[in-house]
Amino acid sequence: MTNNITDRRVRRTRRALQKALVDLILEKGYDAVTIEEITDRADLGRTTFYLHYKDKEELLMHAIDTICEDFLETHSSLLAQIDSPENAIRQLRYNLDERILYHIFAHARENANLYKVMLRGEGGARATRRFANVIQDETIKRLEKIKGLEIKVPIEIFAVYFSGTIMEMVTWWLEENQPYAIEMMVTYCQQVFIHGALDTVTPGKA
């Protein structure tokens, strides 16, 4: 019981520090944020901060890891559905209710401020790279589990292209204040990524 209370207290403290950091970054930029400002915003002492993190970079990295782990844990069953070439292609081609793309955009909407910080490159290349690596690693992991699936390019190239496309689309969508519904963004991503640019751009009627 005591351990559970302590764990909850630790989670609350870390969430407060993470939120304070993210809010301050969006207000004034990563480089200008100080530890004192973070603790003041979170209504915590500097000693408390250093009990959990050595500096603001470690705090930002932990915030990124936390939301990535949250997404993967929450949607592990959805990700596991891709278990055969036929199933993989079917899920890539059709806009199902439980689409991975849909949940990526939904997760970005629920954690919009942190996503903006990550995708803008605030905190340096390491923060953006951490997020991209998670997407790439998970893409490779899922594809490698599908027996009999043929990929015409090295799997690492596919993963890099996929993660880059998704990150750019989510970044634009958030920065433009989500101008299209998630369902439409999924459809647009599928059209461009899955069907390809040449299929997307066609001659108009004269």
Side-chain angles (χ1 to χ4, degrees):
M1 183 66 176
T2 302
N3 287 339
N4 289 336
I5 294 173
T6 301
D7 289 343
R8 286 198 299 271
R9 190 174 297 143
V10 168
R11 287 195 295 270
R12 282 198 303 270
T13 298
R14 290 182 173 178
R15 280 197 299 268
L17 291 169
Q18 290 169 14
K19 184 179 186 306
L21 173 63
V22 169
D23 290 347
L24 286 165
I25 289 174
L26 293 176
E27 291 174 17
K28 57 192 301 184
Y30 176 82
D31 291 337
V33 177
T34 66
I35 300 299
E36 184 176 2
E37 289 173 322
I38 296 170
T39 54
D40 285 348
R41 182 67 62 92
D43 196 22
L44 295 166
R46 289 174 63 90
T47 301
T48 301
F49 179 95
Y50 288 113
L51 284 174
H52 296 272
Y53 304 105
K54 66 180 181 180
D55 52 31
K56 65 181 182 181
E57 182 182 40
E58 185 176 61
L59 170 58
L60 179 58
M61 292 301 108
H62 186 258
I64 293 171
D65 288 344
T66 298
I67 68 161
C68 289
E69 290 166 5
D70 172 67
F71 178 83
L72 294 174
E73 181 179 345
T74 303
H75 303 96
S76 59
S77 60
L78 171 65
L79 294 168
Q81 289 177 10
I82 303 179
D83 54 9
S84 70
E86 295 77 12
N87 192 16
I89 298 302
R90 186 163 56 251
Q91 289 205 42
L92 285 173
R93 291 188 181 280
Y94 294 100
N95 184 12
L96 304 178
D97 290 337
E98 292 190 332
R99 291 283 311 163
I100 292 176
L101 286 176
Y102 178 92
H103 288 282
I104 288 175
F105 278 97
H107 193 250
R109 181 177 60 189
E110 293 165 6
N111 301 277
N113 284 348
L114 182 50
Y115 268 79
K116 286 180 182 179
V117 166
M118 288 188 300
L119 298 175
R120 284 178 186 176
E122 294 281 4
R126 186 181 171 201
T128 305
R129 185 78 256 148
R130 178 75 66 95
F131 187 59
N133 284 342
V134 169
I135 299 176
Q136 290 168 23
D137 291 347
E138 286 301 315
T139 300
I140 292 172
K141 184 190 303 181
R142 304 299 165 180
L143 290 176
E144 286 181 338
K145 287 184 177 180
I146 305 171
K147 296 180 180 179
L149 183 66
E150 295 184 5
I151 304 177
K152 297 179 181 179
V153 298
I155 193 170
E156 294 84 3
I157 298 296
F158 184 93
V160 168
Y161 181 73
F162 177 73
S163 68
T165 300
I166 293 302
M167 288 175 67
E168 286 296 328
M169 293 292 277
V170 171
T171 301
W172 175 86
W173 183 67
L174 291 176
E175 294 289 357
E176 294 297 320
N177 295 317
Q178 306 171 35
Y180 301 104
I182 291 176
E183 293 82 0
M184 292 307 301
M185 288 302 297
V186 171
T187 299
Y188 297 149
C189 285
Q190 289 174 324
Q191 173 63 49
V192 177
F193 181 77
I194 297 168
H195 298 294
L198 292 179
D199 179 66
T200 299
V201 181
T202 59
K205 293 182 180 180

